[in-house]
Amino acid sequence: MTSIETKLKQCEKTLYEYLKEHAKLRGSKPYLITEDETLSYAQAFKTVNALIGQLKGNGIKKGTVVALRATRCPQTVMLAIALGAIGAIIALTDPHNYVRTFISDCGVEISPEYYITNEKTSRDLGARYGWQLLNEDNCVDISFEESEIQLLEQPESRADDPFMIIFTSGSTGKAKAVVLSHKNCIANPVDAMPLFKQDENDRAISLLPLDHVFGFAVAACATFCGHDVMFPEKLDTEYVLRCLDKYKISVVYAVPSFFLGLLSDGAHKKHDLSTLRLGLMAGAPFTAEQLRYIEGELGLQLMPGYGMSECVGVSTMNYGASVEERSTGVGKLYPMTEIKFTDGGEICVRGATLMLGYYNDENATKQAIDEQGFLHTGDLGYIDEKGYLHINGRIKDIIIRNGNNLSAVEIERKIVSLEKVKDACVVGIPDKDDGEVPCALIVASECVDDELLKVLTKIEKPKHVIYARLVPLTSSGKPDKQAVKNLFLK
């Protein structure tokens, strides 16, 4: 097992330095793959150097804030690595929106000096071409031609320098702008890859938004390990299954609903998925039955984990853990992470993946990180006798009904345990008699109103139920609890 001292040294390198190492050691090995193009490590390194020359030549330097439209493609990854090497601070924006519109509407006081986008050419969420660098005075086309010129012997950024800004999804409240350092982004694969036995022989697929930490982690882990990543053009079930088969994918990062979606109509049985070995699953609760079902149908091992924008990795399962262990909780703490609990059961963590703070919001940072350097996550949980972390819900997801504290997550888990139920989302809604009551949006094959008391106590039973085809999700794939609340508040 790698020592903590060795891991901390590994965290001192940037993505640019890891790309440079792999380009030298295994330059011809595939790195970034699409349906019509495969870039090797050497080709990508040359392209990144060419981008560095263009970006610096147009005035970008260390500390410059650059808003980047984070389409799910190799070009976004290479632009991020190039900007990071210069020492720029990248504000990753949701590609559903025009980049300037996103920044102006995000609710955070931020004024990028430059914008990099390809929205003029394509609104496609995976658009790869037509990139431009914009500021108040100029609009410059960006070229992705390779360059033999090595402009940087060492990156101009240091491990603890700010690297990127991630805008939280705001599923239960106001969005914030999380500032992550280079070390924060590297520490996650440094801790995780040995636990997953992930190495240069793997091939991952990029299914998650690159403007979220779980999505960007796919590229960061590949760059650290030296393996390749395939970027599918679309995310519909049949197309993704075809890519899993055609490109012999071994590692899939996704939220539980996506894994379940791959199995929804049995189409997976028409494809050869025998190369799948590892599924990294986070972002939403799941049941033991769902985990066993996904593993049985896809033939991989699921590694449930827990993290957030503010602390990229907190805990995960070990690749060698049994099915029973992986069906319970969200794993043991990453080696470089520490934990404590408040008297009320709130999970507080600190470690190498802990954010630098919230952008331009010192007060919010002080509220989130205490004097001991622990992040107060807002999640409730406990560690069992085997050392596995369990999440009971969020402080904001506690529903106080007639003075009784109810966990929305626990109610969701009980509802989903019913055979006819595929998914559920429970929220607390103000009530004139009980103060607050649970209400549930349920995805089921038929009405289960009469069955709810089989799994719920009387006080846990939702006062109101809405049936729907799907639970609304945020752009990061998490249940959009604010959207669900709005349905009951109409």
Side-chain angles (χ1 to χ4, degrees), residues 333-365:
L333 296 180
Y334 280 118
M336 290 192 290
T337 301
E338 300 175 73
I339 195 168
K340 71 175 183 179
F341 298 90
T342 65
D343 291 340
E346 182 183 11
I347 299 168
C348 303
V349 292
R350 69 181 178 189
T353 62
L354 178 59
M355 68 172 180
L356 297 178
Y358 293 115
Y359 184 82
N360 203 23
D361 199 337
E362 186 176 345
N363 288 335
T365 302

